[in-house]
Amino acid sequence: MDNAQLMPLLGGALIGIGLGAGAVYFWLSSQLKQERQRLNHVEQARQQSGQQVTQARKQIEQLQRENHELRLAVRPAPRPAPAPVVEPAVDAAEAARLYAESKMQPPAPKPAPRAFKDTEVLKRDE
């Protein structure tokens, strides 16, 4: 091979390599651009979900405060302690007389025990 054949061959190879490198660079840059867009989209979604979580927490706190206020409003007021019942003073002599009279009276007769229980008719559930 002489130089006349070698130069166009080398020139063609260099141009082919340059065009191939340019095509690879263009393809990689478009892929990188798509990945950046996806990353930006994911970051925006993360920030939005973080804001929603913050808003939800604020709403929960507000609802808990309102719930507590309503419980306080609905809770019945404490009732005052009932006044102690004051029994009339009993004379000791009168109490002794009533006790003695109750002991002197015969006890009430007890009813005779029954041998068998009365028969009961039970309804059937059909």
Side-chain angles (χ1 to χ4, degrees), residues 10-37:
L10 284 175
L14 287 175
I15 290 175
I17 291 172
L19 288 177
V24 168
Y25 176 77
F26 179 73
W27 181 76
L28 285 177
S29 66
S30 67
Q31 292 294 322
L32 187 61
K33 182 179 178 183
Q34 288 177 355
E35 291 302 319
R36 282 185 186 146
Q37 287 176 347

Side-chain angles (χ1 to χ4, degrees), residues 69-91:
E69 291 172 3
L70 289 173
R71 282 184 182 155
L72 291 177
V74 172
R75 184 186 324 171
R79 296 180 185 171
V85 178
V86 179
E87 295 182 14
V90 179
D91 183 30

Side-chain angles (χ1 to χ4, degrees), residues 54-123:
T54 303
Q55 289 175 351
R57 285 182 180 157
K58 287 179 183 178
Q59 288 177 352
I60 289 170
E61 290 173 3
Q62 179 67 27
L63 288 173
Q64 286 176 344
R65 273 188 250 118
E66 290 176 3
N67 193 12
H68 180 67
E69 291 172 3
L70 289 173
R71 282 184 182 155
L72 291 177
V74 172
R75 184 186 324 171
R79 296 180 185 171
V85 178
V86 179
E87 295 182 14
V90 179
D91 183 30
E94 181 69 19
R97 185 185 65 78
L98 290 174
Y99 178 72
E101 285 179 0
S102 70
K103 290 296 183 184
M104 291 172 61
Q105 292 177 356
K110 293 183 181 178
R114 299 171 82 178
F116 296 100
K117 185 177 179 182
D118 289 338
T119 304
E120 295 180 13
V121 178
L122 301 175
K123 292 183 180 179

Side-chain angles (χ1 to χ4, degrees), residues 1-17:
M1 251 194 209
D2 59 354
N3 281 341
Q5 290 177 346
L6 191 61
M7 289 307 254
L9 188 63
L10 284 175
L14 287 175
I15 290 175
I17 291 172

